[in-house]
């Protein structure tokens, strides 16, 4: 855990990139645990839509809602890496952002069911307005380029929130998706605009740990969702023969997903803004697919007991598609920077095989085999087989 820091009560100075023993704080971990409630709601609604045969509606709704979840989480994480003072005002602002995440989560079912994003957007705006306050505090505590960057962030984030309020109130249903893309691009443009004068002082080790912690929590939520689905099916149908291959395959996928992500530290790759931002933005697909694996397992379970209105192949794809996306994305962000020789190609090949796997159990076996092959190659290369 992080060591206690003493601050002067008013200062929100940039923290050093070379700071020793920098680790995620209890407040950050609490933030993640509360934030995953929104992830769970998005995954649950995705599973419900897919099981009901509403593939396009479910996937689009999931992509839209998950963008808000991911972007708010990521902005908090990078700000904390640069300016976490862990004093009373900082903690209160973080609690406000947690409250916003819970409001967002409460609105997810309505967003999926009726396309009504008012509650979801309200929660998102609450989180973002709290972050604006944090950036203004950073601006007041600094001068020069750091002050300019903080003011640019505050202005950019605030302006985009005005857009979201108008989008929530005045945009007709048929234009929702196109105008959402406009707002999404505006959100993504804020860091590009804000960091032109200088880069914020994020910490490579802290960022790598924060992303790893959230990946871990999202994978845990997928296991939880699948477990609840299996329990419900067993209680109602006692269909153990149909369920055990799905449960076994799902566990193998989740266990392998953990092993693959944490096989090697990526901290050394995060040497500059360009590498770190590509890595950080790419985690949208990591988090998205990790949560969708749990939703897919729910669909597979519901199909096995005759409750899903989709074909068997579609139910299997609900698991294999996000699993393949996860494997390929983790390879693109992590493995290709830390492996060499034949080990470099294990994950992309496995992703293709998983994508075309006929059952969830086969997909799980392929994922486990990819871990085993990777360990064997590392042993032959004379490396630590644990990594």
């Amino acid at each position: 855990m992080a060591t206690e820091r003493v601050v002067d009560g008013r200062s929100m100075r940039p923290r050093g990139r070379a700071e020793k023993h920098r680790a995620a704080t209890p407040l950050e971990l609490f933030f993640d645990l509360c934030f995953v409630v929104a992830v769970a709601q998005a995954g649950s609604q995705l599973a419900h839509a897919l099981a009901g045969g509403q593939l396009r509606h479910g996937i689009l709704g999931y992509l839209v809602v998950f963008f808000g979840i991911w972007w708010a989480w990521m902005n908090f994480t990078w700000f904390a890496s640069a300016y976490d003072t862990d004093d009373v005002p900082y903690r209160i602002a973080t609690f406000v952002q947690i409250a916003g995440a819970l409001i967002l989560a409460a609105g997810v079912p309505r967003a999926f069911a009726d396309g009504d994003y008012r509650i979801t957007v309200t929660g998102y705006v609450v989180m973002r307005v709290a972050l604006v306050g944090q950036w203004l505090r950073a601006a007041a505590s600094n001068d020069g380029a750091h002050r300019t960057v903080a003011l640019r962030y505050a202005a950019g984030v605030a302006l985009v929130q005005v857009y979201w309020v108008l989008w929530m109130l005045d945009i007709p249903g048929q234009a929702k998706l196109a105008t959402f893309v406009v707002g999404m691009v505006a959100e993504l443009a804020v860091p590009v605009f804000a960091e032109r004068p200088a880069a914020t002082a994020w910490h490579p080790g802290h960022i790598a740990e924060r992303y790893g912690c959230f990946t871990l929590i999202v994978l845990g939520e997928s296991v939880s969702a699948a477990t609840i689905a299996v329990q419900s099916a067993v209680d109602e149908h006692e269909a153990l023969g149909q369920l055990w291959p799905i449960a076994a395959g799902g566990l193998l996928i989740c266990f392998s997903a953990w092993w693959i992500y944490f096989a090697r530290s990526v901290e050394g790759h995060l040497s500059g803004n360009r590498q770190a931002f590509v890595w950080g933005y790419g985690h949208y697909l990591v988090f998205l697919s990790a949560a969708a694996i749990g939703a897919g397992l729910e669909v597979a379970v519901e199909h096995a007991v005759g409750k899903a209105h989709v074909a068997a192949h579609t139910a299997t794809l609900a698991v294999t598609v996000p699993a393949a996306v996860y494997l390929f994305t983790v390879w693109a962000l992590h493995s290709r920077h830390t492996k060499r020789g034949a080990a470099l190609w294990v994950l992309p090949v496995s992703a293709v095989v998983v994508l075309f796997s006929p059952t969830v159990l086969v997909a799980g076996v392929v994922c486990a085999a990819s871990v085993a092959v990777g360990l064997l190659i590392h042993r032959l290369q004379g490396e630590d087989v644990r990594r």
Side-chain angles (χ1 to χ4, degrees), residues 28 31-32 72-82 206-207 210-211:
E28 288 175 316
F31 179 89
D32 289 356
W73 179 89
M74 194 173 84
N75 276 227
F76 165 81
T77 297
W78 286 80
F79 178 88
S81 192
H206 177 253
I207 286 293
R210 293 291 293 114
Y211 274 75

Side-chain angles (χ1 to χ4, degrees), residues 6-26:
V6 178
V7 295
D8 63 13
R10 72 161 193 90
S11 176
M12 187 175 263
R13 303 291 186 184
R15 298 183 65 163
R17 290 196 182 190
E19 183 179 337
K20 300 296 185 181
H21 310 297
R22 182 73 190 276
T25 66

Side-chain angles (χ1 to χ4, degrees), residues 294-362:
L297 289 171
E298 290 187 58
V299 175
V301 168
E302 292 194 17
H303 177 269
V305 297
K307 295 173 63 177
H309 304 291
V310 293
H313 181 60
T314 302
T316 301
L317 285 175
V319 180
T320 59
V321 169
V325 170
Y326 180 91
L327 292 176
F328 184 82
T329 308
V330 171
W331 171 79
L333 298 177
H334 281 270
S335 300
R336 68 188 185 92
H337 302 297
T338 61
K339 295 184 179 181
R340 58 187 175 87
L344 180 62
W345 303 107
V346 172
L347 287 185
V349 171
S350 297
V352 174
V353 178
V354 165
L355 182 62
F356 292 101
S357 296
T359 67
V360 174
L361 180 59
V362 171

Side-chain angles (χ1 to χ4, degrees), residues 83-172:
Y83 288 107
D84 181 3
T85 56
D86 197 30
D87 57 6
V88 172
Y90 180 88
R91 291 181 178 187
I92 291 174
T94 301
F95 291 155
V96 173
Q97 292 180 75
I98 290 173
L102 298 178
I103 295 170
L104 185 154
V108 169
R110 182 174 294 184
F112 270 81
D114 307 320
D116 182 356
Y117 288 90
R118 286 177 293 179
I119 297 177
T120 299
V121 172
T122 298
Y124 180 79
V125 171
V126 168
M127 289 187 287
R128 305 295 279 155
V129 169
L131 185 64
V132 169
Q134 294 280 56
W135 279 116
L136 289 175
R137 187 181 175 209
S141 302
N142 292 277
D143 52 21
H146 290 299
R147 174 181 172 83
T148 301
V149 169
L151 288 174
R152 282 179 170 233
Y153 264 114
V157 173
L159 184 61
V160 178
Q161 301 325 295
V162 174
Y163 177 89
W164 288 125
V165 171
L166 296 174
W167 181 85
M168 172 179 63
L169 297 176
D170 296 330
I171 302 299

